[in-house]
Amino acid sequence: MCSEKNHIRVILADDQLLFVEMLKTMLENSTADIKVIGICENGKEVVNLALKEKPHVILMDVRMPVMNGIEATRQIKSVEPEIEIMMLTTFDDDIYVSDSIKYGAAGYVLKNILPEELIECIRALRKGTVQISPSIAKNLALKRQNTIPLKSNEFMQRVDTLSNRE
């Protein structure tokens, strides 16, 4: 059993209450080392709770009422840069991805992830490893292809060697 002080303290921020409650239940019932310390329905709530509770990790949706997840990320990271924020969303829009990363998110993962993979993402994020969904990472790599001096064939060979997790 993991002692309370060794728990990864997590805040969940999503306006879809059924989803976020089920996520909390899954995380707490499937792990001994993850503790959900709060649930927020909008970006303003998560900023206030994060600054008060100082979690290790925040899983945040991009689109929420009152304040979106990107602005909430910007505000939290400007005051508490050690809090790791991972966007957990259905939106794979390039602007959302780039703005999230620009304002300090250390991860961008799509909600179609398997529960075990999400748990591993949280643990990896806590250890400082950036987490990006494979489809988003590949899309970013393909867009970057135009800005790096690799031959197209060589670049694609490198991308194709990445595992789903990478």
Side-chain angles (χ1 to χ4, degrees):
M1 191 81 185
C2 194
S3 74
E4 188 75 27
K5 91 175 202 183
N6 293 328
H7 280 140
I8 301 171
R9 296 166 27 92
V10 177
I11 291 176
L12 306 176
D14 197 302
D15 61 329
Q16 295 177 354
L17 294 180
L18 179 61
F19 168 77
V20 79
E21 288 291 345
M22 291 174 69
L23 180 57
K24 177 184 180 199
T25 300
M26 183 277 297
L27 289 172
E28 291 187 335
N29 290 339
S30 301
T31 67
D33 62 333
I34 297 174
K35 174 74 176 154
V36 176
I37 62 169
I39 293 175
C40 302
E41 295 179 49
N42 65 63
K44 187 172 175 63
E45 285 180 14
V46 74
V47 169
N48 292 335
L49 186 61
L51 298 180
K52 177 182 173 196
E53 295 295 329
K54 297 180 179 41
H56 299 120
V57 174
I58 299 172
L59 301 183
M60 184 155 15
D61 196 6
V62 171
R63 289 171 119 184
M64 293 184 289
V66 182
M67 178 189 298
N68 69 43
I70 296 168
E71 177 59 21
T73 296
R74 188 191 67 74
Q75 289 187 21
I76 292 165
K77 294 297 278 187
S78 71
V79 178
E80 297 290 343
E82 69 282 351
I83 296 173
E84 300 293 355
I85 300 173
M86 182 168 70
M87 308 314 273
L88 181 62
T89 187
T90 57
F91 301 101
D92 63 355
D93 182 273
D94 291 348
I95 293 172
Y96 289 155
V97 174
S98 63
D99 284 352
S100 297
I101 293 168
K102 176 170 113 181
Y103 291 123
Y108 200 101
V109 175
L110 299 178
K111 286 181 179 177
N112 64 355
I113 191 171
L114 293 172
E116 312 80 58
E117 290 175 352
L118 180 61
I119 291 166
E120 289 308 311
C121 282
I122 293 168
R123 290 175 178 148
L125 195 69
R126 176 68 175 123
K127 292 176 182 174
T129 305
V130 173
Q131 299 297 300
I132 305 285
S133 284
S135 62
I136 291 173
K138 191 167 190 173
N139 193 24
L140 290 173
L142 291 173
K143 287 189 181 343
R144 181 146 167 79
Q145 176 182 8
N146 294 328
T147 64
I148 56 177
L150 288 177
K151 295 178 188 163
S152 180
N153 194 23
E154 180 184 354
F155 179 81
M156 288 311 295
Q157 287 173 349
R158 288 184 184 184
V159 169
D160 288 339
T161 65
L162 298 175
S163 69
N164 282 341
R165 184 172 176 113
E166 291 170 325

